[in-house]
Amino acid sequence: MNKKINSVTVKDNKVIKKKNDRLLELYDYLDSKEFNNYPKVLNVSEEYIESEYIENKNTKEIIFGEEFIKTVATLHNKTLEFKDVSKNKYRTIYDKISSNIEYLKKYYENLISNIEDEIYMSPSHYLLARNYSCIDSSLKYSKDTLKKWFRKVENKSKERVCIIHNNLSLDHFIMGDKNYLTSFDNYMVDTPVLDLYTFFKRDGFKLDFNHLLNKYNEINELLEEEKMLLNILISMPPKIDEIDNEVINCRNIRNTINYIFKSINIVNQNK
């Protein structure tokens, strides 16, 4: 069997990708932490890394999601540590998120103002106008909670970090003889919140994220300030970019509204 999947080649039941010394160092570190839920490295040459190829089992979506989040929680839990952190880092995070919130607030205020000036609204604009209040309230919640979060962390000298995958999606998970995470190329050491937020944006909002978050917390319970940060991030509505296609605009706005209502529900249960 020979086939190309993104940047890797599958040949003779082996995954072949360009050698990455940083990735090999990660595998050694994960082994030392007794986390072996990644495809086993079979051979390393001057140019390539060969790893085992694992076929995904056919299973129900809810079971696949549960096993995925439990594997992520185990990765985070086994690599947790507290490191010194400067107050400047929290200020930088605060300023960056605050700037994003203000940008979205002004963007949507201008958008709804222009829509309300229209004599005849298009279907997509009517849909957006009817649901603007949920966008506005989500941004207000994000802004208010960000201030509370900063007051809680601004004097902290330690930060809880771990290995984060930094590219989480269900596409990077395999259920075989055991559970496997793949595509660690972008990994870094940072707050576990970033992995959860990335997953929520890509796949989590389509699933029962509250249920999955409960499963995650059974293995690696988020700290209060981590829960606050996650709530802030998922409450920030995506930016809607309009194009010259009304059907696609309606679909994109509906998807965004669904995303926002999902995030509101999650935040209400995760406070």
Side-chain angles (χ1 to χ4, degrees):
M1 176 185 64
N2 293 334
K3 60 180 177 180
K4 189 81 171 177
I5 305 176
N6 297 326
S7 61
V8 303
T9 300
V10 178
K11 181 178 181 181
D12 299 328
N13 284 321
K14 292 183 289 186
V15 176
I16 304 172
K17 63 191 305 181
K18 287 186 177 180
K19 185 179 179 183
N20 183 333
D21 289 333
R22 183 171 173 269
L23 199 56
L24 293 172
E25 291 173 2
L26 170 67
Y27 293 155
D28 287 341
Y29 175 72
L30 294 180
D31 287 342
S32 73
K33 295 295 183 178
E34 299 183 344
F35 180 87
N36 57 9
N37 297 86
Y38 63 88
K40 181 180 178 181
V41 175
L42 302 174
N43 185 51
V44 180
S45 68
E46 289 293 324
E47 296 184 60
Y48 300 102
I49 298 175
E50 296 181 358
S51 303
E52 59 182 335
Y53 175 77
I54 306 107
E55 288 279 359
N56 243 326
K57 290 181 179 178
N58 291 323
T59 187
K60 293 181 178 179
E61 182 181 76
I62 187 171
I63 296 175
F64 194 80
E66 286 179 354
E67 293 302 313
F68 166 82
I69 205 67
K70 288 192 290 187
T71 306
V72 172
T74 302
L75 168 69
H76 292 170
N77 183 260
K78 288 193 173 185
T79 60
L80 276 180
E81 62 177 316
F82 285 84
K83 73 172 187 178
D84 294 334
V85 61
S86 68
K87 293 181 182 180
N88 184 58
K89 178 176 181 179
Y90 289 124
R91 168 56 72 177
T92 300
I93 294 172
Y94 174 85
D95 289 342
K96 182 177 181 180
I97 296 177
S98 181
S99 177
N100 288 339
I101 293 171
E102 287 303 312
Y103 169 78
L104 287 169
K105 187 173 184 296
K106 291 178 181 178
Y107 174 80
Y108 279 110
E109 284 177 346
N110 290 334
L111 185 58
I112 197 65
S113 177
N114 291 333
I115 289 173
E116 289 174 343
D117 286 340
E118 294 175 353
I119 298 176
Y120 301 107
M121 291 184 188
S122 65
S124 63
H125 283 178
Y126 179 71
L127 179 62
L128 183 59
R130 285 195 61 186
N131 290 279
Y132 175 70
S133 61
C134 73
I135 296 174
D136 186 56
S137 61
S138 292
L139 288 168
K140 184 178 186 303
Y141 170 83
S142 295
K143 183 176 181 179
D144 292 344
T145 308
L146 180 63
K147 292 177 181 177
K148 295 176 184 176
W149 172 82
F150 185 66
R151 287 197 295 269
K152 187 172 183 61
V153 301
E154 62 179 329
N155 294 315
K156 286 184 175 292
S157 60
K158 295 285 185 179
E159 178 187 24
R160 193 170 82 146
V161 298
C162 61
I163 295 292
I164 65 170
H165 184 280
N166 204 32
N167 194 20
L168 272 186
S169 73
L170 294 178
D171 289 338
H172 296 153
F173 178 67
I174 299 170
M175 284 182 64
D177 57 315
K178 62 179 181 181
N179 296 337
Y180 297 87
L181 285 173
T182 66
S183 304
F184 273 95
D185 304 74
N186 296 320
Y187 85 91
M188 60 190 296
V189 177
D190 212 317
T191 172
V193 171
L194 293 182
D195 263 352
L196 295 173
Y197 173 53
T198 298
F199 171 59
F200 177 77
K201 285 198 305 179
R202 291 182 178 174
D203 297 315
F205 74 95
K206 305 171 191 173
L207 308 175
D208 186 347
F209 191 74
N210 278 322
H211 174 70
L212 297 182
L213 200 53
N214 287 335
K215 291 293 182 182
Y216 177 93
N217 280 313
E218 288 175 3
I219 297 172
N220 188 59
E221 186 170 5
L222 293 175
L223 303 176
E224 184 179 355
E225 60 265 30
E226 292 169 343
K227 290 180 181 179
M228 292 174 71
L229 183 59
L230 179 60
N231 284 345
I232 292 163
L233 293 174
I234 67 175
S235 293
M236 295 168 59
K239 179 185 173 185
I240 298 173
D241 291 314
E242 295 186 288
I243 62 173
D244 190 22
N245 186 312
E246 188 61 14
V247 173
I248 294 177
N249 285 337
C250 284
R251 184 183 65 197
N252 289 343
I253 290 172
R254 172 53 61 193
N255 288 341
T256 299
I257 298 303
N258 288 340
Y259 175 100
I260 292 169
F261 279 117
K262 279 284 189 79
S263 68
I264 290 172
N265 179 55
I266 291 162
V267 166
N268 286 336
Q269 295 189 43
N270 190 41
K271 289 182 179 177

